[in-house]
Amino acid sequence: MNNRVLKALPTKEYRSIASQLEPVDLAQGAILYETGQTIADIYFPDDATVSYFSSTAEDETLEVCVIGNEGVVGIAAILGDSTAFQAVVQLPGRAYKIRRDSLRKEFKRCDTLHRVLLQYTNALLVQIGQTAVCNKFHSVEERFCRCLLMAHDQSSSDRLPLTQDVLARVLGSRRASVSVVASEFQKRGAIRYSRGLIDILDRNKLESAACECYETISAAHSKVGT
């Protein structure tokens, strides 16, 4: 069990919710929710990651946050019934699914779960806000590094199955721009890119080139469960 929200629960509360969790394998590119869709199931990623995308009337999309083992996909169901974003699996892997009504009951009944989910919701708001700032003011290179560092944090491997098309959509940039940046970091020895796979070779080089947004987002999530 790698999900940090679930790991933060005391034994009694964890046992109560564990019996209602269903392990699922999430395929890359799978759409968990469409914008405005009623949320029926909520996901606790284990080693999968899920991106939230916001879109315009012209069908242009931009990633507003990414959720991995630090959080919960569909947390909006605690407060309402539908989601404001499209949720798409970015990195494939395992997650644990629970029915919305079941989690709502546990949220009301379990003190620690209640506190941790509220802490996570606050961290998610920080992430969404900081991502908006990052997309507006920081370069493709800085955002590329932020994206890879967060994906690396949420993965159990140094190898990330990310194509340039996926990265372009996540960063709201042209594929050609992503290709140039990826090639530059490959020359620096920070990554190795081949056939839709990115190997993290030197994390320190990515950290030194990333903007402050990565640290801000990481710091917010580190407080969840404390």
Side-chain angles (χ1 to χ4, degrees):
M1 177 69 68
N2 295 316
N3 185 275
R4 284 186 253 163
V5 171
L6 295 177
K7 289 174 70 173
L9 301 180
T11 301
K12 184 177 179 180
E13 288 192 20
Y14 174 73
R15 286 177 177 170
S16 177
I17 195 174
S19 62
Q20 303 173 73
L21 295 172
E22 176 188 349
V24 292
D25 290 316
L26 301 180
Q28 189 171 36
I31 298 175
L32 302 184
Y33 317 122
E34 291 287 4
T35 302
Q37 179 180 333
T38 298
I39 297 173
D41 296 308
I42 298 169
Y43 299 83
F44 294 85
D46 193 67
D47 57 4
T49 66
V50 177
S51 293
Y52 279 2
F53 288 98
S54 188
S55 60
T56 68
E58 290 74 30
D59 206 28
E60 296 174 314
T61 61
L62 185 66
E63 184 189 72
V64 296
C65 71
V66 60
I67 301 168
N69 58 20
E70 82 291 342
V72 186
V73 180
I75 192 66
I78 295 295
L79 305 174
D81 293 324
S82 61
T83 176
F85 307 112
Q86 182 191 56
V88 182
V89 178
Q90 182 187 104
L91 295 179
R94 175 66 64 92
Y96 297 89
K97 181 173 70 173
I98 187 171
R99 299 294 294 176
R100 176 194 64 193
D101 292 343
S102 296
L103 186 61
R104 280 180 171 176
K105 289 178 182 178
E106 297 297 328
F107 177 75
K108 295 176 181 178
R109 192 174 65 83
C110 300
D111 291 340
T112 303
L113 179 65
H114 185 102
R115 174 175 57 82
V116 172
L117 288 181
L118 289 181
Q119 287 177 330
Y120 173 69
T121 301
N122 181 68
L124 188 64
L125 290 174
V126 171
Q127 182 181 350
I128 291 173
Q130 196 66 39
T131 300
V133 170
C134 191
N135 288 334
K136 171 66 176 178
F137 296 109
H138 293 147
S139 67
V140 175
E141 178 179 288
E142 290 172 314
R143 289 183 281 134
F144 177 85
C145 292
R146 170 180 59 81
C147 176
L148 291 191
L149 288 169
M150 292 183 66
H152 193 220
D153 288 344
Q154 297 161 336
S155 174
S156 57
S157 172
D158 291 334
R159 173 164 288 186
L160 307 174
L162 291 170
T163 66
Q164 290 186 5
D165 285 335
V166 168
L167 285 169
R169 186 185 183 197
V170 165
L171 298 176
S173 183
R174 295 182 301 113
R175 186 181 185 279
S177 298
V178 173
S179 179
V180 170
V181 172
S183 296
E184 177 59 29
F185 279 97
Q186 185 160 252
K187 290 177 183 176
R188 297 183 196 179
I191 65 171
R192 180 171 56 244
Y193 182 81
S194 176
R195 297 181 180 179
L197 295 173
I198 294 180
D199 291 303
I200 306 298
L201 303 180
D202 191 333
R203 183 183 169 94
N204 289 334
K205 290 180 179 178
L206 294 176
E207 290 178 347
S208 65
C211 53
E212 70 276 12
C213 297
Y214 168 68
E215 290 187 0
T216 300
I217 293 169
S218 296
H221 284 295
S222 70
K223 297 176 184 177
V224 177
T226 60

Short mmCIF file of all heavy atoms in Angstrom, two decimals, residues 147-206:
data_model
loop_
_atom_site.label_atom_id
_atom_site.label_comp_id
_atom_site.label_asym_id
_atom_site.label_seq_id
_atom_site.Cartn_x
_atom_site.Cartn_y
_atom_site.Cartn_z
N CYS A 147 7.10 18.69 -14.21
CA CYS A 147 6.27 17.54 -14.58
C CYS A 147 7.00 16.23 -14.33
O CYS A 147 6.45 15.29 -13.74
CB CYS A 147 5.86 17.67 -16.04
SG CYS A 147 4.91 16.26 -16.67
N LEU A 148 8.26 16.15 -14.77
CA LEU A 148 9.01 14.91 -14.59
C LEU A 148 9.30 14.62 -13.13
O LEU A 148 9.25 13.47 -12.69
CB LEU A 148 10.32 14.97 -15.38
CG LEU A 148 10.23 14.95 -16.91
CD1 LEU A 148 11.62 14.74 -17.51
CD2 LEU A 148 9.28 13.86 -17.39
N LEU A 149 9.63 15.66 -12.36
CA LEU A 149 9.92 15.46 -10.94
C LEU A 149 8.69 14.96 -10.19
O LEU A 149 8.78 14.04 -9.36
CB LEU A 149 10.42 16.77 -10.33
CG LEU A 149 11.82 17.20 -10.73
CD1 LEU A 149 12.09 18.64 -10.28
CD2 LEU A 149 12.88 16.25 -10.17
N MET A 150 7.53 15.52 -10.48
CA MET A 150 6.31 15.08 -9.82
C MET A 150 5.96 13.65 -10.23
O MET A 150 5.57 12.83 -9.39
CB MET A 150 5.17 16.04 -10.13
CG MET A 150 5.35 17.41 -9.49
SD MET A 150 3.95 18.54 -9.79
CE MET A 150 2.66 17.70 -8.89
N ALA A 151 6.12 13.34 -11.52
CA ALA A 151 5.85 11.98 -11.99
C ALA A 151 6.80 10.99 -11.33
O ALA A 151 6.40 9.88 -10.97
CB ALA A 151 5.96 11.93 -13.50
N HIS A 152 8.05 11.39 -11.17
CA HIS A 152 9.05 10.53 -10.54
C HIS A 152 8.70 10.29 -9.07
O HIS A 152 8.83 9.16 -8.57
CB HIS A 152 10.43 11.18 -10.66
CG HIS A 152 11.55 10.26 -10.33
ND1 HIS A 152 12.66 10.67 -9.62
CD2 HIS A 152 11.75 8.94 -10.59
CE1 HIS A 152 13.49 9.66 -9.48
NE2 HIS A 152 12.97 8.60 -10.05
N ASP A 153 8.25 11.34 -8.37
CA ASP A 153 7.84 11.20 -6.97
C ASP A 153 6.69 10.21 -6.83
O ASP A 153 6.61 9.47 -5.84
CB ASP A 153 7.38 12.55 -6.41
CG ASP A 153 8.53 13.51 -6.19
OD1 ASP A 153 9.70 13.07 -6.18
OD2 ASP A 153 8.26 14.72 -6.03
N GLN A 154 5.80 10.22 -7.79
CA GLN A 154 4.58 9.41 -7.70
C GLN A 154 4.75 8.01 -8.29
O GLN A 154 3.83 7.20 -8.23
CB GLN A 154 3.44 10.14 -8.43
CG GLN A 154 3.08 11.48 -7.80
CD GLN A 154 2.32 12.39 -8.75
OE1 GLN A 154 2.41 12.27 -9.96
NE2 GLN A 154 1.56 13.32 -8.18
N SER A 155 5.91 7.73 -8.82
CA SER A 155 6.17 6.45 -9.46
C SER A 155 7.11 5.60 -8.60
O SER A 155 7.89 6.12 -7.81
CB SER A 155 6.79 6.67 -10.85
OG SER A 155 7.17 5.44 -11.43
N SER A 156 7.04 4.30 -8.79
CA SER A 156 7.95 3.39 -8.09
C SER A 156 9.15 3.04 -8.94
O SER A 156 9.94 2.16 -8.60
CB SER A 156 7.19 2.10 -7.72
OG SER A 156 6.66 1.48 -8.88
N SER A 157 9.32 3.75 -10.06
CA SER A 157 10.39 3.43 -11.00
C SER A 157 11.04 4.70 -11.52
O SER A 157 10.45 5.78 -11.50
CB SER A 157 9.82 2.62 -12.18
OG SER A 157 10.78 2.44 -13.20
N ASP A 158 12.29 4.56 -11.99
CA ASP A 158 12.98 5.67 -12.65
C ASP A 158 12.58 5.77 -14.12
O ASP A 158 12.99 6.70 -14.81
CB ASP A 158 14.50 5.48 -12.57
CG ASP A 158 15.03 5.65 -11.16
OD1 ASP A 158 14.39 6.36 -10.37
OD2 ASP A 158 16.08 5.05 -10.85
N ARG A 159 11.81 4.81 -14.60
CA ARG A 159 11.36 4.79 -16.00
C ARG A 159 9.91 5.22 -16.07
O ARG A 159 9.02 4.60 -15.45
CB ARG A 159 11.55 3.40 -16.60
CG ARG A 159 10.94 3.24 -17.99
CD ARG A 159 11.47 2.01 -18.69
NE ARG A 159 12.87 2.21 -19.11
CZ ARG A 159 13.54 1.33 -19.84
NH1 ARG A 159 12.98 0.20 -20.22
NH2 ARG A 159 14.79 1.58 -20.18
N LEU A 160 9.65 6.27 -16.85
CA LEU A 160 8.30 6.83 -16.95
C LEU A 160 7.78 6.66 -18.38
O LEU A 160 8.42 7.14 -19.32
CB LEU A 160 8.33 8.32 -16.59
CG LEU A 160 8.97 8.68 -15.24
CD1 LEU A 160 9.05 10.20 -15.09
CD2 LEU A 160 8.18 8.07 -14.09
N PRO A 161 6.64 6.01 -18.56
CA PRO A 161 6.08 5.83 -19.89
C PRO A 161 5.33 7.08 -20.36
O PRO A 161 4.10 7.13 -20.37
CB PRO A 161 5.13 4.64 -19.72
CG PRO A 161 4.69 4.72 -18.30
CD PRO A 161 5.86 5.28 -17.53
N LEU A 162 6.09 8.10 -20.75
CA LEU A 162 5.51 9.39 -21.17
C LEU A 162 5.95 9.71 -22.59
O LEU A 162 7.14 9.88 -22.86
CB LEU A 162 5.96 10.50 -20.23
CG LEU A 162 5.42 10.48 -18.80
CD1 LEU A 162 6.14 11.49 -17.94
CD2 LEU A 162 3.92 10.74 -18.80
N THR A 163 5.00 9.80 -23.49
CA THR A 163 5.31 10.19 -24.86
C THR A 163 5.37 11.71 -24.97
O THR A 163 4.88 12.44 -24.10
CB THR A 163 4.25 9.68 -25.84
OG1 THR A 163 3.00 10.35 -25.57
CG2 THR A 163 4.04 8.17 -25.70
N GLN A 164 5.95 12.20 -26.05
CA GLN A 164 6.00 13.64 -26.25
C GLN A 164 4.62 14.22 -26.47
O GLN A 164 4.34 15.37 -26.08
CB GLN A 164 6.93 13.96 -27.42
CG GLN A 164 8.39 13.70 -27.12
CD GLN A 164 9.32 14.14 -28.22
OE1 GLN A 164 8.89 14.75 -29.21
NE2 GLN A 164 10.60 13.84 -28.09
N ASP A 165 3.72 13.45 -27.06
CA ASP A 165 2.34 13.92 -27.25
C ASP A 165 1.66 14.13 -25.88
O ASP A 165 0.94 15.12 -25.68
CB ASP A 165 1.54 12.91 -28.07
CG ASP A 165 1.91 12.95 -29.55
OD1 ASP A 165 2.39 14.01 -30.01
OD2 ASP A 165 1.74 11.94 -30.24
N VAL A 166 1.87 13.17 -24.96
CA VAL A 166 1.29 13.29 -23.62
C VAL A 166 1.87 14.49 -22.91
O VAL A 166 1.15 15.30 -22.31
CB VAL A 166 1.54 12.00 -22.81
CG1 VAL A 166 1.20 12.23 -21.33
CG2 VAL A 166 0.71 10.85 -23.36
N LEU A 167 3.18 14.66 -22.97
CA LEU A 167 3.83 15.79 -22.31
C LEU A 167 3.37 17.12 -22.90
O LEU A 167 3.17 18.10 -22.16
CB LEU A 167 5.35 15.66 -22.43
CG LEU A 167 5.99 14.61 -21.52
CD1 LEU A 167 7.44 14.37 -21.91
CD2 LEU A 167 5.88 15.02 -20.06
N ALA A 168 3.18 17.17 -24.20
CA ALA A 168 2.72 18.40 -24.84
C ALA A 168 1.33 18.78 -24.34
O ALA A 168 1.05 19.95 -24.06
CB ALA A 168 2.71 18.23 -26.36
N ARG A 169 0.47 17.79 -24.18
CA ARG A 169 -0.88 18.07 -23.68
C ARG A 169 -0.82 18.51 -22.23
O ARG A 169 -1.50 19.46 -21.82
CB ARG A 169 -1.76 16.83 -23.82
CG ARG A 169 -3.21 17.12 -23.44
CD ARG A 169 -4.09 15.89 -23.45
NE ARG A 169 -5.46 16.26 -23.15
CZ ARG A 169 -6.40 15.40 -22.77
NH1 ARG A 169 -6.10 14.12 -22.64
NH2 ARG A 169 -7.63 15.81 -22.52
N VAL A 170 -0.02 17.82 -21.44
CA VAL A 170 0.11 18.15 -20.02
C VAL A 170 0.64 19.57 -19.83
O VAL A 170 0.16 20.32 -18.98
CB VAL A 170 1.04 17.13 -19.33
CG1 VAL A 170 1.50 17.64 -17.97
CG2 VAL A 170 0.32 15.79 -19.17
N LEU A 171 1.63 19.95 -20.64
CA LEU A 171 2.28 21.25 -20.48
C LEU A 171 1.56 22.36 -21.24
O LEU A 171 1.92 23.54 -21.10
CB LEU A 171 3.73 21.16 -20.96
CG LEU A 171 4.62 20.18 -20.19
CD1 LEU A 171 6.00 20.12 -20.82
CD2 LEU A 171 4.71 20.56 -18.73
N GLY A 172 0.58 22.00 -22.07
CA GLY A 172 -0.10 23.01 -22.87
C GLY A 172 0.83 23.64 -23.87
O GLY A 172 0.76 24.85 -24.14
N SER A 173 1.72 22.83 -24.44
CA SER A 173 2.73 23.34 -25.35
C SER A 173 2.70 22.55 -26.65
O SER A 173 2.03 21.52 -26.77
CB SER A 173 4.11 23.22 -24.69
OG SER A 173 5.12 23.75 -25.51
N ARG A 174 3.46 23.02 -27.64
CA ARG A 174 3.56 22.30 -28.90
C ARG A 174 4.49 21.11 -28.74
O ARG A 174 5.47 21.16 -27.98
CB ARG A 174 4.07 23.23 -30.01
CG ARG A 174 3.14 24.37 -30.35
CD ARG A 174 3.67 25.23 -31.48
NE ARG A 174 4.96 25.80 -31.16
CZ ARG A 174 6.09 25.48 -31.76
NH1 ARG A 174 6.11 24.55 -32.71
NH2 ARG A 174 7.24 26.06 -31.41
N ARG A 175 4.19 20.06 -29.49
CA ARG A 175 5.02 18.85 -29.42
C ARG A 175 6.46 19.16 -29.81
O ARG A 175 7.41 18.61 -29.22
CB ARG A 175 4.45 17.76 -30.34
CG ARG A 175 5.15 16.41 -30.23
CD ARG A 175 4.55 15.40 -31.19
NE ARG A 175 5.12 14.09 -31.02
CZ ARG A 175 6.27 13.69 -31.55
NH1 ARG A 175 6.99 14.56 -32.25
NH2 ARG A 175 6.71 12.46 -31.36
N ALA A 176 6.64 20.05 -30.79
CA ALA A 176 7.99 20.41 -31.24
C ALA A 176 8.79 21.05 -30.12
O ALA A 176 9.99 20.78 -29.98
CB ALA A 176 7.90 21.35 -32.44
N SER A 177 8.13 21.88 -29.30
CA SER A 177 8.82 22.52 -28.18
C SER A 177 9.24 21.49 -27.15
O SER A 177 10.35 21.56 -26.58
CB SER A 177 7.92 23.57 -27.54
OG SER A 177 7.58 24.59 -28.46
N VAL A 178 8.37 20.53 -26.87
CA VAL A 178 8.68 19.47 -25.91
C VAL A 178 9.85 18.62 -26.42
O VAL A 178 10.75 18.24 -25.66
CB VAL A 178 7.45 18.59 -25.65
CG1 VAL A 178 7.82 17.37 -24.79
CG2 VAL A 178 6.35 19.39 -24.97
N SER A 179 9.86 18.36 -27.72
CA SER A 179 10.93 17.57 -28.32
C SER A 179 12.28 18.25 -28.15
O SER A 179 13.30 17.61 -27.82
CB SER A 179 10.65 17.34 -29.81
OG SER A 179 11.68 16.60 -30.41
N VAL A 180 12.31 19.57 -28.36
CA VAL A 180 13.56 20.33 -28.20
C VAL A 180 14.05 20.27 -26.75
O VAL A 180 15.24 20.04 -26.49
CB VAL A 180 13.35 21.80 -28.64
CG1 VAL A 180 14.56 22.65 -28.25
CG2 VAL A 180 13.12 21.88 -30.14
N VAL A 181 13.14 20.47 -25.81
CA VAL A 181 13.51 20.45 -24.39
C VAL A 181 13.98 19.06 -23.97
O VAL A 181 15.00 18.93 -23.27
CB VAL A 181 12.32 20.91 -23.52
CG1 VAL A 181 12.64 20.70 -22.04
CG2 VAL A 181 12.01 22.38 -23.78
N ALA A 182 13.27 18.03 -24.39
CA ALA A 182 13.65 16.65 -24.05
C ALA A 182 15.04 16.32 -24.60
O ALA A 182 15.86 15.70 -23.90
CB ALA A 182 12.62 15.67 -24.58
N SER A 183 15.31 16.76 -25.82
CA SER A 183 16.63 16.52 -26.42
C SER A 183 17.73 17.23 -25.65
O SER A 183 18.82 16.67 -25.45
CB SER A 183 16.64 16.98 -27.89
OG SER A 183 15.74 16.24 -28.67
N GLU A 184 17.45 18.45 -25.19
CA GLU A 184 18.44 19.21 -24.44
C GLU A 184 18.78 18.52 -23.11
O GLU A 184 19.96 18.42 -22.74
CB GLU A 184 17.92 20.63 -24.18
CG GLU A 184 18.84 21.50 -23.34
CD GLU A 184 20.22 21.69 -23.94
OE1 GLU A 184 20.34 21.65 -25.20
OE2 GLU A 184 21.19 21.87 -23.16
N PHE A 185 17.77 18.05 -22.40
CA PHE A 185 18.03 17.39 -21.13
C PHE A 185 18.67 16.01 -21.32
O PHE A 185 19.37 15.52 -20.43
CB PHE A 185 16.76 17.31 -20.29
CG PHE A 185 16.46 18.58 -19.55
CD1 PHE A 185 15.57 19.51 -20.06
CD2 PHE A 185 17.12 18.87 -18.37
CE1 PHE A 185 15.32 20.70 -19.40
CE2 PHE A 185 16.88 20.06 -17.69
CZ PHE A 185 15.99 20.98 -18.21
N GLN A 186 18.42 15.42 -22.46
CA GLN A 186 19.11 14.17 -22.77
C GLN A 186 20.60 14.44 -23.00
O GLN A 186 21.47 13.68 -22.53
CB GLN A 186 18.50 13.49 -23.99
CG GLN A 186 19.09 12.13 -24.31
CD GLN A 186 18.19 11.29 -25.19
OE1 GLN A 186 17.59 10.33 -24.72
NE2 GLN A 186 18.09 11.64 -26.47
N LYS A 187 20.92 15.54 -23.67
CA LYS A 187 22.32 15.91 -23.90
C LYS A 187 23.02 16.22 -22.58
O LYS A 187 24.21 15.95 -22.41
CB LYS A 187 22.39 17.14 -24.82
CG LYS A 187 21.99 16.87 -26.26
CD LYS A 187 22.02 18.16 -27.08
CE LYS A 187 21.54 17.92 -28.50
NZ LYS A 187 21.49 19.20 -29.28
N ARG A 188 22.28 16.80 -21.63
CA ARG A 188 22.86 17.14 -20.32
C ARG A 188 23.05 15.91 -19.43
O ARG A 188 23.67 15.99 -18.37
CB ARG A 188 21.96 18.13 -19.58
CG ARG A 188 21.80 19.48 -20.26
CD ARG A 188 20.95 20.39 -19.39
NE ARG A 188 20.45 21.55 -20.12
CZ ARG A 188 19.67 22.48 -19.59
NH1 ARG A 188 19.31 22.40 -18.31
NH2 ARG A 188 19.24 23.50 -20.33
N GLY A 189 22.48 14.78 -19.86
CA GLY A 189 22.60 13.56 -19.07
C GLY A 189 21.59 13.44 -17.96
O GLY A 189 21.71 12.59 -17.07
N ALA A 190 20.55 14.28 -18.00
CA ALA A 190 19.52 14.23 -16.96
C ALA A 190 18.52 13.12 -17.21
O ALA A 190 18.01 12.49 -16.26
CB ALA A 190 18.79 15.57 -16.88
N ILE A 191 18.22 12.88 -18.48
CA ILE A 191 17.24 11.84 -18.85
C ILE A 191 17.74 11.07 -20.06
O ILE A 191 18.68 11.49 -20.74
CB ILE A 191 15.86 12.45 -19.18
CG1 ILE A 191 15.95 13.34 -20.44
CG2 ILE A 191 15.28 13.22 -18.01
CD1 ILE A 191 14.60 13.81 -20.98
N ARG A 192 17.09 9.94 -20.29
CA ARG A 192 17.27 9.22 -21.55
C ARG A 192 15.87 9.02 -22.13
O ARG A 192 14.98 8.50 -21.45
CB ARG A 192 17.97 7.88 -21.35
CG ARG A 192 18.16 7.10 -22.67
CD ARG A 192 19.04 5.86 -22.50
NE ARG A 192 18.53 4.98 -21.48
CZ ARG A 192 19.17 4.69 -20.35
NH1 ARG A 192 20.35 5.26 -20.10
NH2 ARG A 192 18.66 3.87 -19.46
N TYR A 193 15.67 9.44 -23.37
CA TYR A 193 14.35 9.36 -23.98
C TYR A 193 14.38 8.43 -25.18
O TYR A 193 15.24 8.58 -26.07
CB TYR A 193 13.88 10.76 -24.42
CG TYR A 193 12.50 10.74 -25.03
CD1 TYR A 193 11.37 10.73 -24.20
CD2 TYR A 193 12.32 10.69 -26.40
CE1 TYR A 193 10.10 10.68 -24.74
CE2 TYR A 193 11.04 10.64 -26.94
CZ TYR A 193 9.94 10.64 -26.11
OH TYR A 193 8.69 10.57 -26.65
N SER A 194 13.47 7.45 -25.20
CA SER A 194 13.43 6.52 -26.31
C SER A 194 12.07 5.85 -26.39
O SER A 194 11.60 5.26 -25.41
CB SER A 194 14.51 5.45 -26.15
OG SER A 194 14.44 4.48 -27.16
N ARG A 195 11.43 5.97 -27.55
CA ARG A 195 10.18 5.25 -27.84
C ARG A 195 9.13 5.41 -26.76
O ARG A 195 8.55 4.45 -26.28
CB ARG A 195 10.48 3.76 -28.07
CG ARG A 195 11.36 3.50 -29.26
CD ARG A 195 11.61 2.02 -29.46
NE ARG A 195 12.46 1.76 -30.61
CZ ARG A 195 12.85 0.54 -31.00
NH1 ARG A 195 12.44 -0.52 -30.32
NH2 ARG A 195 13.63 0.39 -32.05
N GLY A 196 8.89 6.65 -26.38
CA GLY A 196 7.82 6.91 -25.43
C GLY A 196 8.17 6.60 -23.99
O GLY A 196 7.29 6.60 -23.12
N LEU A 197 9.45 6.35 -23.70
CA LEU A 197 9.89 6.07 -22.34
C LEU A 197 10.94 7.10 -21.93
O LEU A 197 11.85 7.40 -22.70
CB LEU A 197 10.49 4.67 -22.23
CG LEU A 197 9.55 3.50 -22.48
CD1 LEU A 197 10.34 2.19 -22.50
CD2 LEU A 197 8.46 3.44 -21.41
N ILE A 198 10.81 7.64 -20.74
CA ILE A 198 11.79 8.57 -20.20
C ILE A 198 12.42 7.95 -18.97
O ILE A 198 11.72 7.61 -18.00
CB ILE A 198 11.15 9.92 -19.84
CG1 ILE A 198 10.66 10.63 -21.11
CG2 ILE A 198 12.14 10.80 -19.10
CD1 ILE A 198 10.01 11.97 -20.86
N ASP A 199 13.73 7.77 -18.99
CA ASP A 199 14.48 7.28 -17.85
C ASP A 199 15.10 8.47 -17.12
O ASP A 199 15.80 9.29 -17.74
CB ASP A 199 15.59 6.32 -18.28
CG ASP A 199 15.04 5.00 -18.81
OD1 ASP A 199 14.29 4.34 -18.06
OD2 ASP A 199 15.33 4.65 -19.97
N ILE A 200 14.84 8.57 -15.82
CA ILE A 200 15.45 9.63 -15.01
C ILE A 200 16.87 9.17 -14.65
O ILE A 200 17.05 8.21 -13.89
CB ILE A 200 14.64 9.90 -13.73
CG1 ILE A 200 13.17 10.21 -14.08
CG2 ILE A 200 15.26 11.05 -12.95
CD1 ILE A 200 12.96 11.43 -14.93
N LEU A 201 17.87 9.86 -15.18
CA LEU A 201 19.27 9.49 -14.95
C LEU A 201 19.93 10.35 -13.87
O LEU A 201 20.75 9.86 -13.10
CB LEU A 201 20.07 9.62 -16.25
CG LEU A 201 19.57 8.81 -17.45
CD1 LEU A 201 20.47 9.05 -18.66
CD2 LEU A 201 19.50 7.32 -17.12
N ASP A 202 19.60 11.63 -13.84
CA ASP A 202 20.20 12.55 -12.87
C ASP A 202 19.13 13.51 -12.38
O ASP A 202 18.88 14.55 -12.98
CB ASP A 202 21.37 13.32 -13.51
CG ASP A 202 22.20 14.08 -12.48
OD1 ASP A 202 21.65 14.44 -11.43
OD2 ASP A 202 23.39 14.31 -12.75
N ARG A 203 18.48 13.15 -11.28
CA ARG A 203 17.38 13.95 -10.74
C ARG A 203 17.84 15.35 -10.33
O ARG A 203 17.10 16.32 -10.45
CB ARG A 203 16.77 13.21 -9.56
CG ARG A 203 15.55 13.91 -8.96
CD ARG A 203 15.03 13.18 -7.75
NE ARG A 203 14.05 14.01 -7.07
CZ ARG A 203 12.74 13.95 -7.27
NH1 ARG A 203 12.24 13.08 -8.13
NH2 ARG A 203 11.92 14.74 -6.61
N ASN A 204 19.07 15.44 -9.84
CA ASN A 204 19.58 16.74 -9.38
C ASN A 204 19.59 17.78 -10.50
O ASN A 204 19.34 18.96 -10.26
CB ASN A 204 20.99 16.59 -8.80
CG ASN A 204 20.99 15.86 -7.47
OD1 ASN A 204 20.00 15.88 -6.74
ND2 ASN A 204 22.10 15.21 -7.15
N LYS A 205 19.87 17.34 -11.71
CA LYS A 205 19.89 18.27 -12.85
C LYS A 205 18.48 18.78 -13.16
O LYS A 205 18.31 19.93 -13.56
CB LYS A 205 20.52 17.60 -14.07
CG LYS A 205 22.01 17.36 -13.92
CD LYS A 205 22.61 16.69 -15.15
CE LYS A 205 24.11 16.49 -14.98
NZ LYS A 205 24.74 15.80 -16.14
N LEU A 206 17.51 17.92 -13.00
CA LEU A 206 16.12 18.35 -13.20
C LEU A 206 15.69 19.32 -12.10
O LEU A 206 15.03 20.32 -12.37
CB LEU A 206 15.19 17.14 -13.21
CG LEU A 206 15.35 16.15 -14.37
CD1 LEU A 206 14.41 14.96 -14.17
CD2 LEU A 206 15.07 16.82 -15.71
#
